[in-house]
Amino acid sequence: MSTTPLAGKRALVTGGSRGIGAEIVRRLTAGGAAVAFTYASSAADAEKLVADVAASGGTALAIRSDAGDPAQNVAAVEQTVRELGGLDVVVNNAAVVAIAAVEDYTADQYDRMIAVNVGSVFWTTQAAVPHLTDGGRIINIGSINADRVPGPGLSVYALTKGAVSSFTRGLARELGPRGITVNNVQPGPIDTDANPDDGGDFPESLKKIMPLGRYGHTTDVAAIVGFLAGRESGFVTGANWNVDGGFTV
Ligand code: NDP
């Protein structure tokens, strides 16, 4: 089996400077793809990732682009196509989370969650579809909270990730005739800055409801994304891929 199954592929990952997105960039470039990724503010992390990938013989391109702004999402797609020479794989990963009871949610918090978590998936996808090669891949990073919300404060986050799951199905229907697959990876608790494993009572309460009893690693998610980006996943579309340690069991 080839060690570079993604050789020749061009990919865009939104929110790739840290956490799960950064691991996806590492995974896809290790597989031979050239990968552009966006970030909003973590310039130092983005530069380090580009350098690390280059040191391993890969190609990564960092693009500063606020996922909450429709025009910047479109510009990031256009820059990717221009600089990498085309587009085969899109990973919609960028998202934010604000935890609050529904009656305490501010208009700004709500608008930002919708703009980043839902808007970016839509605007990036809309701009990418005309450029995507037939047989291409769209991989959304949703959340297991679309299917199960074990505590208060996550209603709006769950709303946004439910939208990502539904959008995945509609898109799979539209793009199937071109051989483009669209899938939704739904992580459970994964150890990142957004959800640290050593964060106290919150992670401990989640581990108690999971059959595997532990947090996942960014590599657990990136491995599934790597599979979905490759040739062998070509008959899988419109599906939710739970990477969650059994969170919904
Ligand atoms: P992190 O907060 O650790 O990293 C988020 C990444 O997205 C960073 O690179 C950040 O870049 C980027 N980002 C955030 N906002 C924007 C923006 N407005 N524009 C561009 N880039 C942005 O998150 P995770 O790695 O934990 O999460 C990644 C994905 O996985 C998200 O979709 C999340 O909802 C999902 N997920 C995560 C789970 C977890 O337990 N960790 C569980 C379920 C789903 P910068 O620093 O520059 O802003």
Side-chain angles (χ1 to χ4, degrees):
M1 190 187 276
S2 168
T3 55
T4 52
L6 300 176
K9 301 294 182 192
R10 290 82 38 108
L12 170 64
V13 179
T14 66
S17 55
R18 296 182 292 110
I20 292 169
E23 198 64 52
I24 291 169
V25 172
R26 281 190 278 270
R27 179 83 187 199
L28 298 183
T29 53
V35 181
F37 68 89
T38 65
Y39 68 98
S41 55
S42 301
D45 292 299
E47 282 166 23
K48 183 173 183 318
L49 180 56
V50 169
D52 287 349
V53 169
S56 305
T59 302
L61 167 71
I63 302 172
R64 186 189 281 269
S65 168
D66 180 357
D69 177 359
Q72 291 187 45
N73 285 294
V74 175
V77 172
E78 300 295 340
Q79 186 178 344
T80 301
V81 171
R82 216 169 40 244
E83 299 207 21
L84 301 187
L87 190 58
D88 306 288
V89 178
V90 174
V91 183
N92 287 306
N93 168 76
V96 288
V97 57
I99 297 177
V102 70
E103 62 269 33
D104 296 332
Y105 239 81
T106 66
D108 283 350
Q109 281 176 320
Y110 176 80
D111 288 347
R112 185 73 181 156
M113 292 275 282
I114 299 293
V116 175
N117 297 13
V118 182
S120 174
V121 177
F122 175 76
W123 295 111
T124 300
T125 299
Q126 188 187 55
V129 163
H131 297 291
L132 266 178
T133 47
D134 289 356
R137 302 279 188 264
I138 296 176
I139 302 159
N140 297 324
I141 308 300
S143 167
I144 203 63
N145 289 139
D147 293 341
R148 185 175 189 201
V149 184
L154 285 164
S155 61
V156 178
Y157 181 70
L159 179 163
T160 66
K161 295 302 190 174
V164 171
S165 172
S166 301
F167 185 55
T168 298
R169 284 194 210 97
L171 269 181
R173 182 67 69 183
E174 282 188 33
L175 301 180
R178 291 179 53 197
I180 297 171
T181 66
V182 191
N183 287 284
N184 181 37
V185 175
Q186 299 196 134
I190 304 293
D191 183 23
T192 66
D193 296 342
N195 190 4
D197 191 356
D198 61 1
D201 291 346
F202 181 70
E204 293 314 314
S205 69
L206 296 181
K207 288 174 201 172
K208 284 198 181 91
I209 66 167
M210 297 161 66
L212 295 184
R214 63 170 178 84
Y215 263 39
H217 308 294
T218 55
T219 47
D220 294 320
V221 181
I224 299 300
V225 173
F227 169 70
L228 290 172
R231 204 182 332 195
E232 289 176 305
S233 67
F235 196 55
V236 183
T237 195
N240 289 333
W241 290 69
N242 296 351
V243 186
D244 67 350
F247 198 85
T248 56
V249 169

